[in-house]
C-alpha cells in the first residue's frame, strides 16, 4: 500500500469510526472496533481493528493499527441472531393462530405434560389456561378411555403427520364429562413448537 490512504478501502458506513479527527484525539490505544474493509477481490471482510496513537514516537510518528479477520465470527453471530428472530416470529404466529382457534389447541411434551393450552379451553371445558399448565395431559381423561389414548400416543410421538381421530371423554371443570374428538401431531422437531400438538373438538352433542 505504501503511502496510500486506507480510507477508500473502508466501507462507507464505517468510515466515521476511523476518521482522522477521532484518531488524532486518541490517547494511547483504542478499544477494538469492527470495520468492513474491501480486499483485492472486491469482497467486504470484517476486521477487528485496534489502533494506537504513536504520533509522539519519533520512530513512528503515525498510527499503528492491528487488524484480524473476524468475518466468519461476525456472520455466524449474525446468523444466530437472525435465526432467533425468525424463531420468535414463528412462535408468535403459532400462538396467534392458537389464541383465536374455536377448538382447543394444546401442546404436550413427550411425557404428555401440558405446556400450552389455548384460551378456548376455558369456554369449552371451564378451566383457566394456567390451571392446566404442567398437568398430565391424560389426568382428566375418563378411565374407560385411557386405553384408547394410550394406543395412539406412542404413534403420535414417532409417526409423521396427524393421528387418526380418537373420541374420548374428558372431565369438565364442573365435574361433568365431555366427548372430545382428538387429533395429535408431533412437532417436537419444530423449534417454534417443540411438542405434540393436540387439536380437540367438542362433539358431546353428537354422542
Amino acid at each position: 500500500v505504501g503511502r496510500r490512504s486506507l480510507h477508500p478501502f473502508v466501507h462507507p458506513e464505517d468510515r466515521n469510526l476511523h476518521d482522522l479527527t477521532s484518531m488524532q484525539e486518541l490517547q494511547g490505544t483504542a478499544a477494538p472496533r469492527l470495520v468492513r474493509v474491501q480486499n483485492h477481490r472486491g469482497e467486504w471482510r470484517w476486521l477487528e481493528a485496534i489502533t494506537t496513537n504513536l504520533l509522539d514516537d519519533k520512530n513512528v510518528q503515525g498510527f499503528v493499527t492491528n487488524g484480524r479477520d473476524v468475518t466468519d465470527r461476525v456472520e455466524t453471530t449474525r446468523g444466530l441472531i437472525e435465526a432467533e428472530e425468525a424463531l420468535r416470529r414463528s412462535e408468535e404466529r403459532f400462538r396467534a393462530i392458537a389464541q383465536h382457534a374455536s377448538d382447543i389447541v394444546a401442546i404436550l411434551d413427550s411425557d404428555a405434560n401440558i405446556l400450552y393450552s389455548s384460551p378456548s379451553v376455558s369456554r369449552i371445558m371451564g378451566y383457566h389456561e394456567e390451571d392446566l399448565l404442567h398437568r398430565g395431559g391424560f389426568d382428566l381423561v375418563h378411565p374407560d378411555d385411557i386405553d384408547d389414548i394410550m394406543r395412539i400416543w406412542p404413534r403420535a410421538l414417532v409417526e409423521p403427520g396427524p393421528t387418526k381421530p380418537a373420541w374420548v371423554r374428558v372431565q369438565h371443570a364442573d365435574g361433568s364429562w365431555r366427548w372430545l374428538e382428538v387429533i395429535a401431531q408431533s412437532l417436537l422437531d419444530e423449534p417454534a413448537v417443540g411438542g405434540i400438538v393436540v387439536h380437540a373438538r367438542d362433539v358431546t352433542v353428537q354422542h
Side-chain angles (χ1 to χ4, degrees):
V1 177
R3 300 181 64 86
R4 291 174 59 189
S5 171
L6 293 176
H7 221 238
F9 297 96
V10 177
H11 194 284
E13 295 178 4
D14 299 336
R15 288 173 186 167
N16 65 311
L17 300 175
H18 298 269
D19 64 89
L20 183 60
T21 301
S22 64
M23 293 175 68
Q24 289 174 333
E25 294 173 352
L26 172 65
Q27 300 294 320
T29 300
R33 295 180 179 181
L34 285 176
V35 57
R36 285 162 289 183
V37 176
Q38 195 171 39
N39 65 15
H40 67 283
R41 292 189 294 270
E43 303 166 338
W44 292 106
R45 306 293 294 180
W46 283 98
L47 295 187
E48 183 181 72
I50 301 176
T51 300
T52 301
N53 185 343
L54 295 179
L55 287 172
D56 295 333
D57 187 323
K58 64 180 181 180
N59 296 316
V60 181
Q61 296 182 345
F63 302 94
V64 175
T65 297
N66 294 308
R68 63 182 179 127
D69 191 333
V70 292
T71 303
D72 291 344
R73 188 184 75 189
V74 170
E75 291 182 349
T76 297
T77 301
R78 178 181 292 171
L80 290 172
I81 293 172
E82 291 175 351
E84 290 175 356
E85 178 63 19
L87 175 58
R88 184 188 62 78
R89 290 195 298 267
S90 295
E91 290 173 341
E92 290 176 350
R93 284 196 296 270
F94 177 83
R95 293 301 172 95
I97 293 170
Q99 290 287 101
H100 296 91
S102 58
D103 298 330
I104 297 171
V105 178
I107 300 175
L108 280 60
D109 65 18
S110 57
D111 294 321
N113 297 308
I114 299 172
L115 303 177
Y116 168 81
S117 182
S118 60
S120 52
V121 73
S122 178
R123 174 177 54 81
I124 296 172
M125 299 301 298
Y127 298 100
H128 292 294
E129 302 161 58
E130 296 79 10
D131 296 339
L132 300 179
L133 290 183
H134 307 298
R135 289 190 58 172
F138 306 151
D139 289 355
L140 299 173
V141 175
H142 194 286
D144 293 344
D145 298 333
I146 285 290
D147 288 345
D148 292 335
I149 288 292
M150 295 309 298
R151 274 195 293 271
I152 68 170
W153 182 252
R155 294 201 298 272
L157 290 173
V158 298
E159 295 180 2
T163 62
K164 293 180 179 179
W167 292 269
V168 298
R169 285 161 289 184
V170 178
Q171 193 168 37
H172 191 279
D174 64 10
S176 63
W177 295 97
R178 299 293 177 90
W179 281 97
L180 299 183
E181 180 185 79
V182 177
I183 297 173
Q185 180 172 358
S186 175
L187 293 179
L188 286 165
D189 295 332
E190 291 290 335
V193 181
I196 308 295
V197 177
V198 176
H199 181 273
R201 183 167 65 96
D202 188 352
V203 293
T204 304
V205 175
Q206 290 91 314
H207 282 73

